[in-house]
Amino acid sequence: MRSAAQILADADVIAVVGASRDPGKPAHSVPLQMLRHGWKIIPVNPFVSEVFGVPTVPTLADLPEPVDLVNIFRPAADAVEIVRQAAAIKAPAVWLQSGIVSAEARRIATEAGMDYLEDRCLVVERAVANLSKVA
């Protein structure tokens, strides 16, 4: 399994499940920071048409292109089904944000051969590893 830094270094396109339009929520500020540092972000949210000016898709199955990472901003109970969906689209890695932990999601990801991280923040790990896609 790759480290958090290696997953981010290898990723170019990140699907963010549960991305929020509310600038006060981490589900908005975290993907926006990743976008500003050069990653392509595809927000996955069935309830809004765009987040930070980027069009959303309702589900992972609706993604317009392959992704390198599925980042999850949903409760642990929802993570299991989202990881199943990530496996179905053959995402190489899934990442549950800070505070989200699921043994069942971990099992599904591991059995599908995906890298799996939980209870970690993308922007913290990006900053610690001093990563950016911006030239």
Side-chain angles (χ1 to χ4, degrees):
M1 176 144 37
R2 294 177 294 166
S3 68
Q6 192 61 55
I7 290 169
L8 289 177
D10 292 347
D12 291 314
V13 181
I14 303 172
V16 181
V17 179
S20 175
R21 286 190 307 186
D22 182 345
K25 290 186 174 183
H28 178 90
S29 60
V30 168
L32 181 58
Q33 284 218 24
M34 297 303 288
L35 183 68
R36 289 178 176 162
H37 281 278
W39 280 265
K40 180 175 184 176
I41 301 296
I42 303 174
V44 180
N45 184 324
F47 304 110
V48 298
S49 60
E50 61 86 23
V51 175
F52 37 79
V54 177
T56 62
V57 296
T59 70
L60 290 175
D62 298 305
L63 287 167
E65 64 186 282
V67 297
D68 303 304
L69 173 61
V70 173
N71 180 223
I72 301 173
F73 275 97
R74 298 292 303 140
D78 296 348
V80 173
E81 180 54 31
I82 296 165
V83 172
R84 281 192 186 104
Q85 293 172 21
I89 65 163
K90 302 195 181 330
V94 291
W95 186 310
L96 281 60
Q97 274 298 129
S98 298
I100 308 169
V101 176
S102 172
E104 180 68 4
R106 176 183 289 277
R107 183 190 65 74
I108 293 164
T110 302
E111 287 178 2
M114 293 186 287
D115 290 315
Y116 179 87
L117 287 167
E118 62 185 10
D119 195 22
R120 312 260 298 265
C121 180
L122 282 180
V123 294
V124 170
E125 298 296 332
R126 185 213 60 76
V128 167
N130 197 29
L131 294 170
S132 181
K133 301 282 180 171
V134 177

